[in-house]
Amino acid sequence: MSVLPPINETIETIDQDGNTKTEQRFLGLAERRERCRRLALVNAHTKWLSLTERDRVAQSEWLLRLSMGANGPWRDCLDNAIVRRFYYDTPDSCRVVALYPCLPQNY
């Protein structure tokens, strides 16, 4: 599960003079939904990884590890996961149904 990002986001840019300025960027619905789908899939991966036997840690720890590029024997299971469906729930969330070809207890 994940939450749609807000309609606008603040971006800090550096102009040619080297000064930092803050700009507002507006996101369309398609981009917001795509970001929500990506994050929902990452959340599904971290939930699956939190069930492993050999390296049992919290889902938040797996999120941190994956964001830092963690790799292991379980990587093929994540790469070969089949995404069955995405759901968009009102007002601002999305869910993913993913099927994994491996059992987390084997890792």
Side-chain angles (χ1 to χ4, degrees):
M1 198 166 190
S2 182
V3 176
L4 283 169
I7 294 172
N8 61 346
E9 65 182 0
T10 304
I11 302 173
E12 288 192 11
T13 58
I14 300 173
D15 60 10
Q16 293 177 350
D17 299 334
N19 298 329
T20 303
K21 63 180 184 176
T22 303
E23 297 178 356
Q24 288 284 331
R25 179 171 173 246
F26 292 94
L27 304 174
L29 182 59
E31 186 175 358
R32 293 174 65 214
R33 283 186 167 181
E34 179 59 34
R35 286 186 185 187
C36 191
R37 280 196 302 259
R38 282 195 311 255
L39 188 54
L41 187 57
V42 168
N43 286 338
H45 289 345
T46 58
K47 186 162 205 89
W48 186 88
L49 286 166
S50 69
L51 299 173
T52 57
E53 288 290 326
R54 294 184 192 117
D55 194 6
R56 186 170 281 217
V57 293
Q59 187 176 357
S60 58
E61 175 66 22
W62 279 111
L63 182 60
L64 178 64
R65 289 179 183 187
L66 287 180
S67 70
M68 294 182 351
N71 224 342
W74 38 262
R75 177 50 73 178
D76 286 340
C77 295
L78 301 184
D79 293 340
N80 295 327
I82 298 170
V83 176
R84 282 285 198 206
R85 190 169 301 261
F86 286 105
Y87 296 98
Y88 297 100
D89 301 324
T90 56
D92 62 351
S93 64
C94 67
R95 293 179 285 141
V96 62
V97 176
L99 301 176
Y100 294 90
C102 315
L103 293 173
Q105 294 86 355
N106 296 335
Y107 296 91

